[in-house]
Amino acid sequence: MKQGIVAPIVALAVAIALFGEAIAYAPSGKIFTICVPEVYWKECKEMIEDSALRGIPISCVSGRDRYECIDKVGRKEADVVAVDPEDMYMAAEDNELAANAGYTVVEQVRTKEEPDAVFRYEAVAVIHKDLDISNVQGLRGLRSCHTGVGRNVGYKIPITKLSAMGVLPNLHDPEYSARENELRALSSVFSKGCLVGTWSPDPAINRRLKETYANMCALCEKPEVCDYPDIYSGYEGALRCLAHNGGQVAWTKVIYVKRFFGLPVGVTPAVPTAENPADYRYFCPDGSKVPIDAETKPCTWAARPWQGYMTNDLATKPDNVKALQKELTDLGKLGEEEKADWWKDIMLLEPKTLAVPAPLERPGDHLTNAKYKDVIERNSGAVGKLAKWCVWSDTALDKCRGLSRAAFTREVRPKFECVREKDQAACLKALQEGKADLVVLDGGAVLQAIRDVNAQPVAAETYGPGTTKNGERPAVAVVKKSSPISKLADLQGKRSCHSGYKGDFAGWTAPMHVLKQQGLIRNEDEADSFFNGSCAPGAPVDSKLCQQCVGSVAANDDRIRNATKCKPSEAEAFRGGAGALACLMADKGDVAFLPLTVLSQLDETDKDKDTADAGRQKEAKSTDFELLCPNDARAPVDGWKGCNWGIEPPRVIVSSGKTVNALEELTHATLAASSLYAKRPDLLRLFGPWGGVSNALFKDDTRGLVSVDKSWDKWSEWQETRNAYGSA
């Protein structure tokens, strides 16, 4: 049998088998669809293959991130998505969608140790049995042990509950950031403490806060560091601080109290320790004390709900709900047997957990029953304080709103709000008039913003290896080592690959500028006659500038490829710097114009990444290429300082903050969001295309944000670059 015929026959056989299994799982014959963040698309394909062999019917749909997957489930474009409690909050609070979606938690991720527990974990306060305290006001002046800054049971929950009880002083002083209001309150209520961690993602702010509120580091193993690792931090560390380092109250969770004192935990029998539980008590919110033993139920302050799988009202029809629960449970068991990546990344499972059918529950009820909703909504700082981002495109506005919704659930304060103006100038005017707080500008526009509206630089994009110390990206022309091209004139009649079209510095602006300077073209309109075919995504699709583009190669459909060819979006396989290099490697071009970062990061690329088969050779190294210099020479990649076509400034976030504290607050919030989503793009893809549009709000290849301090002195130089290259 010919190989080309085998795959369709196998696919048909699998489809028939799956349909039969679907009927066995769901009387309706429905095959459920799970939505996965696109970074896990490879794992989802593996999950489908693995499950097909076991007769478990499942299909996948890709979402940009978990945020979009929740939306797709709500709009009935997918049946189920794995979520955290914070994601459930978003679903519950989306008034526009929630009413029609019928969001429901249908299955929970529980621990094997406590599979019948109502909550993932419960927050408790532990004290010495003889401590003279009869109400929560008695906590004042005590020495307090915490798991760490920003953590649930040791920080968020006690702050939320003690504030509501009137123990903590004013958390809403407008002079201070939300984080500093909380630290000030803890520092004033407790005489000493151990609260390790990064108090602010900005190093200078972090240092100042720890110096100002040093008493909250006094009980730590290394008070002068007050960061992980520390033997008096974490769930057990807080108890160790209580028992052996002078602490009087420890904030931790029940399961670790039981382990610390050698009591049984769930299905795990007691393991004796040197600690005596009779010497300690649970301290309750009503001021009472409860013994710590195997029989007495602990009194808790709040609980963190289980993670779970959320669906919509279509999937919870009587014919479907049990089938969906069985399918999720069986997938969990299969993934554990296979030790599959999809089991961890898509289903949020690991060796200590399992998927458990649970009574159907609305996400809002799931949070309220755990007394956790107010923990998520905790909003210290000035009452009603917002950090308003100003944007001037619909896509940037949509991305900003996504950031606002998602970041609020993950403790980024103050809450972001988004305003749209007609253009950059209007946003800067809004900044000046106090109608906006944050605007993202190209680095070359910052000096004018400083002069015209007294804008203050807050943070700048970073792009990883291949940038200067100020985050600039050199634009380079790349050829294969074997290429005969040795001078600029040799480029005439050759094929070119560009990371982008107009507005793309490395891919278009810089090369057009240099070619004009060298007299090889008179203006950028001559590029399509200078080169013998190009791929410059975003150019007119019927021009020679799109001739070498390939569209969506992953689609394996000529109609889709033609429709996506040369689009300035992720649908075009040769889009962006990595795409331009792929174009060169696939022999679709003789030279590639792109940022140096693409080459510098080649050697660190994840070799297992699932990339489109468009000539991207996973084994490629930066040493396979050389740079073509504007002075008619070639140089190795590390010789870029003397062989680049221009240096592109990063985008910079500027603020209207008039006081030091206001700037600190905006810096902290901006970096907190950046730090979170740079590490977890599966939750929200802050850096990358949005709705198929590139460079929305931030540049696609941004890796994170860094704070800008007074030592930055590139503003004039960047404006000169902008002026020189502005009219390529």
PDB file of all heavy atoms in Angstrom, residues 386-391 396-397 400 403-404 414-421 427 435-440 653-654 666 669-671 673 686 697-698 705:
ATOM      1  N   LEU A 386      -6.684  53.817  40.539  1.00  0.00           N
ATOM      2  CA  LEU A 386      -6.512  53.078  39.291  1.00  0.00           C
ATOM      3  C   LEU A 386      -5.229  53.521  38.618  1.00  0.00           C
ATOM      4  O   LEU A 386      -4.793  54.664  38.770  1.00  0.00           O
ATOM      5  CB  LEU A 386      -7.690  53.334  38.349  1.00  0.00           C
ATOM      6  CG  LEU A 386      -9.076  52.894  38.820  1.00  0.00           C
ATOM      7  CD1 LEU A 386     -10.145  53.467  37.898  1.00  0.00           C
ATOM      8  CD2 LEU A 386      -9.161  51.369  38.856  1.00  0.00           C
ATOM      9  N   ALA A 387      -4.621  52.619  37.900  1.00  0.00           N
ATOM     10  CA  ALA A 387      -3.484  52.961  37.042  1.00  0.00           C
ATOM     11  C   ALA A 387      -3.991  52.881  35.606  1.00  0.00           C
ATOM     12  O   ALA A 387      -4.252  51.789  35.093  1.00  0.00           O
ATOM     13  CB  ALA A 387      -2.326  51.990  37.271  1.00  0.00           C
ATOM     14  N   LYS A 388      -4.155  54.036  34.975  1.00  0.00           N
ATOM     15  CA  LYS A 388      -4.795  54.100  33.663  1.00  0.00           C
ATOM     16  C   LYS A 388      -3.762  54.062  32.537  1.00  0.00           C
ATOM     17  O   LYS A 388      -2.919  54.945  32.434  1.00  0.00           O
ATOM     18  CB  LYS A 388      -5.637  55.373  33.563  1.00  0.00           C
ATOM     19  CG  LYS A 388      -6.765  55.443  34.582  1.00  0.00           C
ATOM     20  CD  LYS A 388      -7.550  56.737  34.435  1.00  0.00           C
ATOM     21  CE  LYS A 388      -8.663  56.823  35.470  1.00  0.00           C
ATOM     22  NZ  LYS A 388      -9.423  58.087  35.359  1.00  0.00           N
ATOM     23  N   TRP A 389      -3.877  53.026  31.712  1.00  0.00           N
ATOM     24  CA  TRP A 389      -3.042  52.913  30.521  1.00  0.00           C
ATOM     25  C   TRP A 389      -3.760  53.611  29.364  1.00  0.00           C
ATOM     26  O   TRP A 389      -4.952  53.385  29.143  1.00  0.00           O
ATOM     27  CB  TRP A 389      -2.840  51.448  30.138  1.00  0.00           C
ATOM     28  CG  TRP A 389      -2.001  50.651  31.085  1.00  0.00           C
ATOM     29  CD1 TRP A 389      -2.391  50.149  32.286  1.00  0.00           C
ATOM     30  CD2 TRP A 389      -0.642  50.246  30.906  1.00  0.00           C
ATOM     31  NE1 TRP A 389      -1.360  49.453  32.866  1.00  0.00           N
ATOM     32  CE2 TRP A 389      -0.273  49.493  32.043  1.00  0.00           C
ATOM     33  CE3 TRP A 389       0.305  50.436  29.888  1.00  0.00           C
ATOM     34  CZ2 TRP A 389       0.997  48.941  32.191  1.00  0.00           C
ATOM     35  CZ3 TRP A 389       1.556  49.890  30.045  1.00  0.00           C
ATOM     36  CH2 TRP A 389       1.907  49.153  31.182  1.00  0.00           C
ATOM     37  N   CYS A 390      -3.028  54.418  28.614  1.00  0.00           N
ATOM     38  CA  CYS A 390      -3.605  55.061  27.443  1.00  0.00           C
ATOM     39  C   CYS A 390      -3.067  54.391  26.181  1.00  0.00           C
ATOM     40  O   CYS A 390      -1.849  54.193  26.038  1.00  0.00           O
ATOM     41  CB  CYS A 390      -3.272  56.550  27.413  1.00  0.00           C
ATOM     42  SG  CYS A 390      -4.184  57.445  26.121  1.00  0.00           S
ATOM     43  N   VAL A 391      -3.950  54.025  25.283  1.00  0.00           N
ATOM     44  CA  VAL A 391      -3.581  53.358  24.027  1.00  0.00           C
ATOM     45  C   VAL A 391      -4.334  54.031  22.881  1.00  0.00           C
ATOM     46  O   VAL A 391      -5.273  54.790  23.102  1.00  0.00           O
ATOM     47  CB  VAL A 391      -3.922  51.854  24.064  1.00  0.00           C
ATOM     48  CG1 VAL A 391      -3.171  51.153  25.175  1.00  0.00           C
ATOM     49  CG2 VAL A 391      -5.431  51.645  24.252  1.00  0.00           C
ATOM     50  N   ALA A 396      -4.693  47.168  20.965  1.00  0.00           N
ATOM     51  CA  ALA A 396      -3.999  47.498  22.213  1.00  0.00           C
ATOM     52  C   ALA A 396      -4.995  47.679  23.348  1.00  0.00           C
ATOM     53  O   ALA A 396      -4.740  47.290  24.493  1.00  0.00           O
ATOM     54  CB  ALA A 396      -3.157  48.754  22.028  1.00  0.00           C
ATOM     55  N   LEU A 397      -6.154  48.262  23.037  1.00  0.00           N
ATOM     56  CA  LEU A 397      -7.189  48.441  24.058  1.00  0.00           C
ATOM     57  C   LEU A 397      -7.701  47.096  24.552  1.00  0.00           C
ATOM     58  O   LEU A 397      -7.865  46.878  25.761  1.00  0.00           O
ATOM     59  CB  LEU A 397      -8.344  49.261  23.476  1.00  0.00           C
ATOM     60  CG  LEU A 397      -9.528  49.525  24.415  1.00  0.00           C
ATOM     61  CD1 LEU A 397      -9.089  50.385  25.596  1.00  0.00           C
ATOM     62  CD2 LEU A 397     -10.674  50.197  23.660  1.00  0.00           C
ATOM     63  N   CYS A 400      -5.014  45.518  26.674  1.00  0.00           N
ATOM     64  CA  CYS A 400      -4.939  46.218  27.953  1.00  0.00           C
ATOM     65  C   CYS A 400      -6.066  45.775  28.878  1.00  0.00           C
ATOM     66  O   CYS A 400      -5.862  45.556  30.075  1.00  0.00           O
ATOM     67  CB  CYS A 400      -4.995  47.726  27.704  1.00  0.00           C
ATOM     68  SG  CYS A 400      -4.940  48.720  29.202  1.00  0.00           S
ATOM     69  N   LEU A 403      -5.266  42.438  30.263  1.00  0.00           N
ATOM     70  CA  LEU A 403      -4.276  42.587  31.329  1.00  0.00           C
ATOM     71  C   LEU A 403      -4.939  43.084  32.605  1.00  0.00           C
ATOM     72  O   LEU A 403      -4.664  42.576  33.705  1.00  0.00           O
ATOM     73  CB  LEU A 403      -3.190  43.568  30.884  1.00  0.00           C
ATOM     74  CG  LEU A 403      -2.198  44.022  31.960  1.00  0.00           C
ATOM     75  CD1 LEU A 403      -1.401  42.840  32.489  1.00  0.00           C
ATOM     76  CD2 LEU A 403      -1.261  45.097  31.403  1.00  0.00           C
ATOM     77  N   SER A 404      -5.835  44.053  32.474  1.00  0.00           N
ATOM     78  CA  SER A 404      -6.505  44.611  33.646  1.00  0.00           C
ATOM     79  C   SER A 404      -7.287  43.546  34.405  1.00  0.00           C
ATOM     80  O   SER A 404      -7.173  43.417  35.631  1.00  0.00           O
ATOM     81  CB  SER A 404      -7.450  45.737  33.196  1.00  0.00           C
ATOM     82  OG  SER A 404      -8.230  46.190  34.278  1.00  0.00           O
ATOM     83  N   PRO A 414      -1.947  49.088  41.911  1.00  0.00           N
ATOM     84  CA  PRO A 414      -3.373  49.348  41.798  1.00  0.00           C
ATOM     85  C   PRO A 414      -3.965  48.691  40.559  1.00  0.00           C
ATOM     86  O   PRO A 414      -3.243  48.279  39.651  1.00  0.00           O
ATOM     87  CB  PRO A 414      -3.440  50.880  41.688  1.00  0.00           C
ATOM     88  CG  PRO A 414      -2.127  51.272  41.124  1.00  0.00           C
ATOM     89  CD  PRO A 414      -1.139  50.293  41.670  1.00  0.00           C
ATOM     90  N   LYS A 415      -5.277  48.613  40.544  1.00  0.00           N
ATOM     91  CA  LYS A 415      -5.965  47.987  39.422  1.00  0.00           C
ATOM     92  C   LYS A 415      -5.729  48.799  38.152  1.00  0.00           C
ATOM     93  O   LYS A 415      -5.771  50.028  38.166  1.00  0.00           O
ATOM     94  CB  LYS A 415      -7.461  47.901  39.712  1.00  0.00           C
ATOM     95  CG  LYS A 415      -8.252  47.163  38.639  1.00  0.00           C
ATOM     96  CD  LYS A 415      -9.718  47.045  39.001  1.00  0.00           C
ATOM     97  CE  LYS A 415     -10.471  46.245  37.939  1.00  0.00           C
ATOM     98  NZ  LYS A 415     -11.904  46.104  38.277  1.00  0.00           N
ATOM     99  N   PHE A 416      -5.475  48.099  37.055  1.00  0.00           N
ATOM    100  CA  PHE A 416      -5.290  48.763  35.773  1.00  0.00           C
ATOM    101  C   PHE A 416      -6.647  49.115  35.155  1.00  0.00           C
ATOM    102  O   PHE A 416      -7.614  48.375  35.279  1.00  0.00           O
ATOM    103  CB  PHE A 416      -4.518  47.863  34.804  1.00  0.00           C
ATOM    104  CG  PHE A 416      -3.097  47.591  35.205  1.00  0.00           C
ATOM    105  CD1 PHE A 416      -2.514  46.349  34.967  1.00  0.00           C
ATOM    106  CD2 PHE A 416      -2.320  48.563  35.815  1.00  0.00           C
ATOM    107  CE1 PHE A 416      -1.206  46.087  35.324  1.00  0.00           C
ATOM    108  CE2 PHE A 416      -1.011  48.314  36.189  1.00  0.00           C
ATOM    109  CZ  PHE A 416      -0.452  47.070  35.943  1.00  0.00           C
ATOM    110  N   GLU A 417      -6.674  50.238  34.481  1.00  0.00           N
ATOM    111  CA  GLU A 417      -7.821  50.624  33.669  1.00  0.00           C
ATOM    112  C   GLU A 417      -7.286  51.088  32.319  1.00  0.00           C
ATOM    113  O   GLU A 417      -6.124  51.510  32.218  1.00  0.00           O
ATOM    114  CB  GLU A 417      -8.619  51.742  34.343  1.00  0.00           C
ATOM    115  CG  GLU A 417      -9.922  52.071  33.626  1.00  0.00           C
ATOM    116  CD  GLU A 417     -10.775  53.062  34.402  1.00  0.00           C
ATOM    117  OE1 GLU A 417     -10.486  54.264  34.304  1.00  0.00           O
ATOM    118  OE2 GLU A 417     -11.704  52.632  35.104  1.00  0.00           O
ATOM    119  N   CYS A 418      -8.093  51.028  31.299  1.00  0.00           N
ATOM    120  CA  CYS A 418      -7.623  51.325  29.954  1.00  0.00           C
ATOM    121  C   CYS A 418      -8.448  52.431  29.329  1.00  0.00           C
ATOM    122  O   CYS A 418      -9.680  52.415  29.402  1.00  0.00           O
ATOM    123  CB  CYS A 418      -7.695  50.070  29.080  1.00  0.00           C
ATOM    124  SG  CYS A 418      -6.931  48.626  29.856  1.00  0.00           S
ATOM    125  N   VAL A 419      -7.767  53.391  28.726  1.00  0.00           N
ATOM    126  CA  VAL A 419      -8.449  54.471  28.012  1.00  0.00           C
ATOM    127  C   VAL A 419      -7.894  54.534  26.593  1.00  0.00           C
ATOM    128  O   VAL A 419      -6.706  54.279  26.373  1.00  0.00           O
ATOM    129  CB  VAL A 419      -8.271  55.832  28.716  1.00  0.00           C
ATOM    130  CG1 VAL A 419      -8.959  55.822  30.064  1.00  0.00           C
ATOM    131  CG2 VAL A 419      -6.797  56.183  28.885  1.00  0.00           C
ATOM    132  N   ARG A 420      -8.763  54.851  25.636  1.00  0.00           N
ATOM    133  CA  ARG A 420      -8.339  54.919  24.244  1.00  0.00           C
ATOM    134  C   ARG A 420      -8.432  56.350  23.739  1.00  0.00           C
ATOM    135  O   ARG A 420      -9.447  57.017  23.910  1.00  0.00           O
ATOM    136  CB  ARG A 420      -9.199  54.014  23.364  1.00  0.00           C
ATOM    137  CG  ARG A 420      -8.649  53.830  21.955  1.00  0.00           C
ATOM    138  CD  ARG A 420      -9.695  53.177  21.051  1.00  0.00           C
ATOM    139  NE  ARG A 420      -9.173  52.724  19.772  1.00  0.00           N
ATOM    140  CZ  ARG A 420      -8.833  53.522  18.766  1.00  0.00           C
ATOM    141  NH1 ARG A 420      -8.938  54.842  18.902  1.00  0.00           N
ATOM    142  NH2 ARG A 420      -8.377  53.021  17.625  1.00  0.00           N
ATOM    143  N   GLU A 421      -7.338  56.810  23.117  1.00  0.00           N
ATOM    144  CA  GLU A 421      -7.329  58.100  22.445  1.00  0.00           C
ATOM    145  C   GLU A 421      -7.039  57.868  20.966  1.00  0.00           C
ATOM    146  O   GLU A 421      -6.745  56.742  20.559  1.00  0.00           O
ATOM    147  CB  GLU A 421      -6.277  59.026  23.066  1.00  0.00           C
ATOM    148  CG  GLU A 421      -6.539  59.393  24.521  1.00  0.00           C
ATOM    149  CD  GLU A 421      -7.723  60.339  24.700  1.00  0.00           C
ATOM    150  OE1 GLU A 421      -8.211  60.888  23.682  1.00  0.00           O
ATOM    151  OE2 GLU A 421      -8.178  60.522  25.841  1.00  0.00           O
ATOM    152  N   CYS A 427      -2.682  60.707  23.678  1.00  0.00           N
ATOM    153  CA  CYS A 427      -2.385  59.984  24.922  1.00  0.00           C
ATOM    154  C   CYS A 427      -1.430  60.783  25.800  1.00  0.00           C
ATOM    155  O   CYS A 427      -1.573  60.817  27.030  1.00  0.00           O
ATOM    156  CB  CYS A 427      -1.794  58.607  24.600  1.00  0.00           C
ATOM    157  SG  CYS A 427      -3.043  57.306  24.406  1.00  0.00           S
ATOM    158  N   LYS A 435      -5.489  62.445  33.022  1.00  0.00           N
ATOM    159  CA  LYS A 435      -6.519  61.502  32.607  1.00  0.00           C
ATOM    160  C   LYS A 435      -5.950  60.126  32.304  1.00  0.00           C
ATOM    161  O   LYS A 435      -6.691  59.181  32.027  1.00  0.00           O
ATOM    162  CB  LYS A 435      -7.247  62.042  31.376  1.00  0.00           C
ATOM    163  CG  LYS A 435      -7.981  63.359  31.617  1.00  0.00           C
ATOM    164  CD  LYS A 435      -8.589  63.891  30.326  1.00  0.00           C
ATOM    165  CE  LYS A 435      -9.280  65.227  30.553  1.00  0.00           C
ATOM    166  NZ  LYS A 435      -9.799  65.796  29.276  1.00  0.00           N
ATOM    167  N   ALA A 436      -4.633  60.017  32.305  1.00  0.00           N
ATOM    168  CA  ALA A 436      -3.948  58.743  32.079  1.00  0.00           C
ATOM    169  C   ALA A 436      -2.699  58.714  32.948  1.00  0.00           C
ATOM    170  O   ALA A 436      -2.179  59.766  33.348  1.00  0.00           O
ATOM    171  CB  ALA A 436      -3.587  58.569  30.608  1.00  0.00           C
ATOM    172  N   ASP A 437      -2.237  57.503  33.259  1.00  0.00           N
ATOM    173  CA  ASP A 437      -1.057  57.344  34.114  1.00  0.00           C
ATOM    174  C   ASP A 437       0.122  56.705  33.399  1.00  0.00           C
ATOM    175  O   ASP A 437       1.269  56.922  33.786  1.00  0.00           O
ATOM    176  CB  ASP A 437      -1.409  56.472  35.330  1.00  0.00           C
ATOM    177  CG  ASP A 437      -2.524  57.066  36.162  1.00  0.00           C
ATOM    178  OD1 ASP A 437      -2.327  58.169  36.701  1.00  0.00           O
ATOM    179  OD2 ASP A 437      -3.589  56.436  36.256  1.00  0.00           O
ATOM    180  N   LEU A 438      -0.148  55.892  32.378  1.00  0.00           N
ATOM    181  CA  LEU A 438       0.909  55.134  31.720  1.00  0.00           C
ATOM    182  C   LEU A 438       0.702  55.132  30.208  1.00  0.00           C
ATOM    183  O   LEU A 438      -0.420  54.942  29.733  1.00  0.00           O
ATOM    184  CB  LEU A 438       0.914  53.682  32.225  1.00  0.00           C
ATOM    185  CG  LEU A 438       1.203  53.480  33.720  1.00  0.00           C
ATOM    186  CD1 LEU A 438       0.777  52.085  34.150  1.00  0.00           C
ATOM    187  CD2 LEU A 438       2.679  53.694  34.012  1.00  0.00           C
ATOM    188  N   VAL A 439       1.788  55.356  29.471  1.00  0.00           N
ATOM    189  CA  VAL A 439       1.768  55.294  28.014  1.00  0.00           C
ATOM    190  C   VAL A 439       3.036  54.576  27.557  1.00  0.00           C
ATOM    191  O   VAL A 439       4.116  54.814  28.104  1.00  0.00           O
ATOM    192  CB  VAL A 439       1.719  56.697  27.374  1.00  0.00           C
ATOM    193  CG1 VAL A 439       1.700  56.588  25.851  1.00  0.00           C
ATOM    194  CG2 VAL A 439       0.510  57.481  27.854  1.00  0.00           C
ATOM    195  N   VAL A 440       2.888  53.681  26.572  1.00  0.00           N
ATOM    196  CA  VAL A 440       4.041  52.973  26.019  1.00  0.00           C
ATOM    197  C   VAL A 440       4.490  53.707  24.759  1.00  0.00           C
ATOM    198  O   VAL A 440       3.710  53.902  23.825  1.00  0.00           O
ATOM    199  CB  VAL A 440       3.688  51.508  25.667  1.00  0.00           C
ATOM    200  CG1 VAL A 440       4.936  50.782  25.179  1.00  0.00           C
ATOM    201  CG2 VAL A 440       3.107  50.792  26.882  1.00  0.00           C
ATOM    202  N   ILE A 653       7.856  52.618  28.942  1.00  0.00           N
ATOM    203  CA  ILE A 653       6.598  53.013  29.572  1.00  0.00           C
ATOM    204  C   ILE A 653       6.870  54.297  30.345  1.00  0.00           C
ATOM    205  O   ILE A 653       7.761  54.344  31.205  1.00  0.00           O
ATOM    206  CB  ILE A 653       6.068  51.926  30.526  1.00  0.00           C
ATOM    207  CG1 ILE A 653       5.755  50.639  29.754  1.00  0.00           C
ATOM    208  CG2 ILE A 653       4.801  52.390  31.228  1.00  0.00           C
ATOM    209  CD1 ILE A 653       6.879  49.661  29.695  1.00  0.00           C
ATOM    210  N   VAL A 654       6.132  55.344  30.044  1.00  0.00           N
ATOM    211  CA  VAL A 654       6.291  56.611  30.755  1.00  0.00           C
ATOM    212  C   VAL A 654       5.042  56.882  31.578  1.00  0.00           C
ATOM    213  O   VAL A 654       3.959  56.363  31.295  1.00  0.00           O
ATOM    214  CB  VAL A 654       6.546  57.791  29.784  1.00  0.00           C
ATOM    215  CG1 VAL A 654       7.829  57.562  28.999  1.00  0.00           C
ATOM    216  CG2 VAL A 654       5.367  58.012  28.847  1.00  0.00           C
ATOM    217  N   LEU A 666       3.438  52.949  40.529  1.00  0.00           N
ATOM    218  CA  LEU A 666       3.220  52.577  39.131  1.00  0.00           C
ATOM    219  C   LEU A 666       4.323  51.644  38.640  1.00  0.00           C
ATOM    220  O   LEU A 666       4.064  50.716  37.873  1.00  0.00           O
ATOM    221  CB  LEU A 666       3.154  53.833  38.263  1.00  0.00           C
ATOM    222  CG  LEU A 666       1.917  54.716  38.489  1.00  0.00           C
ATOM    223  CD1 LEU A 666       2.080  56.064  37.807  1.00  0.00           C
ATOM    224  CD2 LEU A 666       0.659  54.008  37.981  1.00  0.00           C
ATOM    225  N   ALA A 669       3.630  48.130  40.140  1.00  0.00           N
ATOM    226  CA  ALA A 669       2.514  47.442  39.490  1.00  0.00           C
ATOM    227  C   ALA A 669       2.897  46.960  38.096  1.00  0.00           C
ATOM    228  O   ALA A 669       2.594  45.826  37.702  1.00  0.00           O
ATOM    229  CB  ALA A 669       1.310  48.375  39.407  1.00  0.00           C
ATOM    230  N   THR A 670       3.569  47.816  37.351  1.00  0.00           N
ATOM    231  CA  THR A 670       3.969  47.464  35.982  1.00  0.00           C
ATOM    232  C   THR A 670       4.929  46.281  35.978  1.00  0.00           C
ATOM    233  O   THR A 670       4.769  45.326  35.203  1.00  0.00           O
ATOM    234  CB  THR A 670       4.627  48.678  35.299  1.00  0.00           C
ATOM    235  OG1 THR A 670       3.716  49.772  35.290  1.00  0.00           O
ATOM    236  CG2 THR A 670       5.012  48.352  33.870  1.00  0.00           C
ATOM    237  N   LEU A 671       5.923  46.318  36.861  1.00  0.00           N
ATOM    238  CA  LEU A 671       6.902  45.230  36.905  1.00  0.00           C
ATOM    239  C   LEU A 671       6.302  43.950  37.476  1.00  0.00           C
ATOM    240  O   LEU A 671       6.688  42.849  37.081  1.00  0.00           O
ATOM    241  CB  LEU A 671       8.118  45.649  37.734  1.00  0.00           C
ATOM    242  CG  LEU A 671       8.955  46.805  37.169  1.00  0.00           C
ATOM    243  CD1 LEU A 671      10.177  47.045  38.043  1.00  0.00           C
ATOM    244  CD2 LEU A 671       9.394  46.515  35.743  1.00  0.00           C
ATOM    245  N   ALA A 673       3.215  42.875  37.041  1.00  0.00           N
ATOM    246  CA  ALA A 673       2.493  42.235  35.939  1.00  0.00           C
ATOM    247  C   ALA A 673       3.457  41.622  34.939  1.00  0.00           C
ATOM    248  O   ALA A 673       3.276  40.494  34.471  1.00  0.00           O
ATOM    249  CB  ALA A 673       1.595  43.251  35.246  1.00  0.00           C
ATOM    250  N   LEU A 686       1.059  38.390  27.544  1.00  0.00           N
ATOM    251  CA  LEU A 686       1.256  39.831  27.544  1.00  0.00           C
ATOM    252  C   LEU A 686       2.216  40.258  26.444  1.00  0.00           C
ATOM    253  O   LEU A 686       2.077  41.327  25.858  1.00  0.00           O
ATOM    254  CB  LEU A 686       1.780  40.266  28.918  1.00  0.00           C
ATOM    255  CG  LEU A 686       1.965  41.756  29.160  1.00  0.00           C
ATOM    256  CD1 LEU A 686       0.647  42.505  28.977  1.00  0.00           C
ATOM    257  CD2 LEU A 686       2.524  41.997  30.559  1.00  0.00           C
ATOM    258  N   LEU A 697       0.579  46.885  22.153  1.00  0.00           N
ATOM    259  CA  LEU A 697       0.989  47.405  23.451  1.00  0.00           C
ATOM    260  C   LEU A 697       2.492  47.250  23.653  1.00  0.00           C
ATOM    261  O   LEU A 697       3.201  48.218  23.893  1.00  0.00           O
ATOM    262  CB  LEU A 697       0.213  46.729  24.589  1.00  0.00           C
ATOM    263  CG  LEU A 697       0.207  47.466  25.930  1.00  0.00           C
ATOM    264  CD1 LEU A 697      -0.418  48.855  25.799  1.00  0.00           C
ATOM    265  CD2 LEU A 697      -0.541  46.663  26.991  1.00  0.00           C
ATOM    266  N   PHE A 698       2.998  46.019  23.566  1.00  0.00           N
ATOM    267  CA  PHE A 698       4.427  45.758  23.662  1.00  0.00           C
ATOM    268  C   PHE A 698       4.898  45.055  22.397  1.00  0.00           C
ATOM    269  O   PHE A 698       4.106  44.466  21.667  1.00  0.00           O
ATOM    270  CB  PHE A 698       4.731  44.873  24.876  1.00  0.00           C
ATOM    271  CG  PHE A 698       4.267  45.443  26.187  1.00  0.00           C
ATOM    272  CD1 PHE A 698       3.139  44.940  26.819  1.00  0.00           C
ATOM    273  CD2 PHE A 698       4.940  46.494  26.782  1.00  0.00           C
ATOM    274  CE1 PHE A 698       2.696  45.467  28.014  1.00  0.00           C
ATOM    275  CE2 PHE A 698       4.507  47.035  27.981  1.00  0.00           C
ATOM    276  CZ  PHE A 698       3.382  46.518  28.600  1.00  0.00           C
ATOM    277  N   LEU A 705       9.989  43.417  31.470  1.00  0.00           N
ATOM    278  CA  LEU A 705      10.219  44.843  31.667  1.00  0.00           C
ATOM    279  C   LEU A 705      11.225  45.045  32.788  1.00  0.00           C
ATOM    280  O   LEU A 705      11.295  44.240  33.726  1.00  0.00           O
ATOM    281  CB  LEU A 705       8.910  45.556  32.027  1.00  0.00           C
ATOM    282  CG  LEU A 705       7.751  45.444  31.034  1.00  0.00           C
ATOM    283  CD1 LEU A 705       6.505  46.112  31.617  1.00  0.00           C
ATOM    284  CD2 LEU A 705       8.108  46.057  29.697  1.00  0.00           C
TER     285      LEU A 705
END
